[in-house]
Amino acid sequence: MAKVKIQGHASGSGVITITAPNTSTDRTITLPDSTATIATTAELPTVATTAPSSPSEGDMWFDSTSGVDSMKVYSGTAWDKMSNAFSGTGGTVTTSGAYRVHTFTASGTFTALTSGTVEILLVAGGGGSAAAEGHHGATGGGGAGGMVTVATKAVVVGGYSVVIGAGGGASADTASYAGMGVDSTGFGYTAKGGSGGADYGSAGVSGGSGAGGSESSQSGGSSIQSSNCAAGAVCYGNAGSAGAGYGSGSGRGGGAGAAGSGTGADGGGAGRASSISGSSVTYAAGGGGSAGYTFANGVAGAANTGNGARGAGANSSEGAGAAGGSGIVIVRYVV
């Protein structure tokens, strides 16, 4: 059986020579003699939580920051994670700066190809609004879908189901509540659907954010998002405002950024901005109410915002309700 022999190179040239073996000869690896150096300390990768100063292209650094723990190489302009970088598939994939972003506007699956950590935004569907009733009735604005943010979530190789909540529908008639928004879920978190707006003479119901109360003087709904907030998440939802007296306007739905306030057709509770997609976008705004003694159809919430629908009003003719905006889930990670 052939042997493997390692010996110093007579020329001291620093060349490693490998003699091609056969069945009868030994294998020889020749290293530099004592005057040569294979690698200096400066040429070895730096192990630290901060990047080396004044790097040259091709320099390597092991980032020992807790939760990162990865080898990086300097491209000449930036430190790039080497081939064991986390990656995944699913949704619409874009890149923003140092992040890869997966946007789900419809239900699907996020598949982690390696283990790593991700950042997540979930927004549920917003509540719809009810049709106005009677000669001068006004209905409450729909509550926004609940909003959930997760700064760091550890994931392992495999698929994670993502469900996008639909917006609640308009009421079927003048004597019914509008539809509730549907929950958005993923990675063990749930954003609760916004509450549907109340029909004339009914109080607002509770949801991710609460709906506005209708005329006359009906109470607004409360938020249930905080009581459905899993560990590691930050959750947002607020109450809707009460309606005023007959002919004085209906209440406004709550939003992720603020509770509904006052009555009338102006905006409901403020939404909340997020830049997880790479641009600042405001999600989960509450639906406005309706002014008194005014004919107005409800206004639908925009798709994939989780916004609640605006309420409807009547003045001889009865305004129709509208649907809430559908939800969205966004996942991003460093590349």
Side-chain angles (χ1 to χ4, degrees):
M1 182 179 203
K3 301 176 183 177
V4 176
K5 182 179 181 181
I6 303 175
Q7 64 184 27
H9 196 289
S11 69
S13 63
V15 176
I16 295 177
T17 302
I18 300 176
T19 304
N22 56 39
T23 57
S24 60
T25 60
D26 292 346
R27 298 177 181 138
T28 300
I29 300 175
T30 302
L31 300 176
D33 64 17
S34 60
T35 65
T37 302
I38 295 175
T40 66
T41 301
E43 292 169 330
L44 296 174
T46 298
V47 179
T49 58
T50 56
S53 59
S54 305
S56 299
E57 185 175 352
D59 283 358
M60 290 186 292
W61 162 45
F62 184 84
D63 185 351
S64 58
T65 302
S66 178
V68 177
D69 297 318
S70 62
M71 184 69 76
K72 299 180 179 181
V73 62
Y74 191 67
S75 67
T77 57
W79 288 98
D80 295 327
K81 201 171 181 180
M82 295 179 73
S83 60
N84 64 338
F86 177 81
S87 62
T89 62
T92 299
V93 183
T94 56
T95 300
S96 176
Y99 293 95
R100 182 164 295 136
V101 182
H102 297 250
T103 301
F104 291 85
T105 56
S107 298
T109 301
F110 177 84
T111 302
L113 302 180
T114 58
S115 296
T117 58
V118 296
E119 181 181 353
I120 310 166
L121 167 72
L122 303 95
V123 179
S129 62
E133 179 182 0
H135 189 61
H136 295 302
T139 63
M147 181 171 172
V148 177
T149 62
V150 184
T152 303
K153 171 66 176 178
V155 295
V156 297
V157 176
Y160 294 81
S161 177
V162 174
V163 176
I164 305 302
S171 65
D173 53 53
T174 60
S176 301
Y177 279 89
M180 296 283 293
V182 179
D183 298 351
S184 289
T185 61
F187 303 89
Y189 303 98
T190 299
K192 299 299 292 182
S195 57
D199 61 316
Y200 176 74
S202 299
V205 296
S206 300
S209 280
S214 70
E215 293 180 342
S216 61
S217 303
Q218 298 297 311
S219 61
S222 60
S223 170
I224 62 171
Q225 184 60 65
S226 62
S227 61
N228 290 272
C229 194
V234 179
C235 300
Y236 303 96
N238 288 284
S241 62
Y246 182 70
S248 298
S250 55
R252 298 163 175 164
S261 177
T263 60
D266 292 337
R272 183 170 290 272
S274 170
S275 296
I276 191 172
S277 66
S279 301
S280 180
V281 179
T282 298
Y283 301 97
S290 181
Y293 295 111
T294 302
F295 169 80
N297 290 320
V299 177
N304 303 120
T305 62
N307 292 348
R310 194 179 77 185
N315 188 348
S316 298
S317 297
E318 297 171 328
S326 54
I328 193 169
V329 172
I330 302 177
V331 182
R332 78 173 183 178
Y333 49 87
V334 176
V335 292

